[in-house]
Amino acid sequence: MTTITPAAAADRTGVSIDTLRYYEREGLIGPIGRSVGGRREYTDDDIFWIGLVTCFREAGLGIADLRGFVALLRAEQPPREKVTFLREHRATLEQRVAALRRAMEVLDGKIAYYS
């Protein structure tokens, strides 16, 4: 199994090393393996989880929401609970997108007015 350093994981995922440590402390990723010398070593699976957590953070999910979802993923829960969680957050995201579109329309109107 190939592993990479924290710096390489940060470069690959676009998050800082501090954020990687924070995600691990919060139980959102990991546990991250360690070398004989005690240094963190990230696997492809770890990189996948970091990408998932980062995507959900960008979608507006808070840390508590993410902890709940990670718990659902790691537990032997029926798929319907995972789907329910995702659908609820998708609906919230759709509302945010609609609000942003309305704001952009107002801005476009003002740009056209002042142009």
Side-chain angles (χ1 to χ4, degrees):
M1 170 179 19
T2 304
T3 60
I4 60 174
T5 66
D11 285 343
R12 202 178 205 187
T13 61
V15 299
S16 70
I17 292 174
D18 288 337
T19 299
L20 294 175
R21 289 184 190 131
Y22 176 69
Y23 286 171
E24 185 180 4
R25 273 194 315 273
E26 292 298 321
L28 304 178
I29 62 171
I32 303 301
R34 304 281 180 142
S35 69
V36 175
R39 293 180 183 246
R40 288 175 176 85
E41 296 181 317
Y42 293 85
T43 65
D44 287 338
D45 190 49
D46 297 326
I47 298 301
F48 169 80
W49 275 95
I50 295 162
L52 185 65
V53 168
T54 301
C55 177
F56 284 173
R57 289 288 291 148
E58 290 172 354
L61 274 74
I63 296 299
D65 291 328
L66 285 169
R67 275 193 223 111
F69 186 62
V70 168
L72 281 174
L73 289 176
R74 290 181 176 162
E76 295 293 324
Q77 299 294 329
R80 76 176 176 280
E81 291 187 34
K82 296 168 189 158
V83 170
T84 299
F85 176 92
L86 292 169
R87 282 187 176 149
E88 288 171 1
H89 288 283
R90 187 180 192 288
T92 300
L93 193 55
E94 283 177 346
Q95 291 171 355
R96 287 180 45 213
V97 167
L100 287 171
R101 284 194 178 121
R102 287 189 300 273
M104 287 175 62
E105 288 172 6
V106 169
L107 290 171
D108 289 343
K110 291 300 178 188
I111 290 167
Y113 177 80
Y114 291 116
S115 291

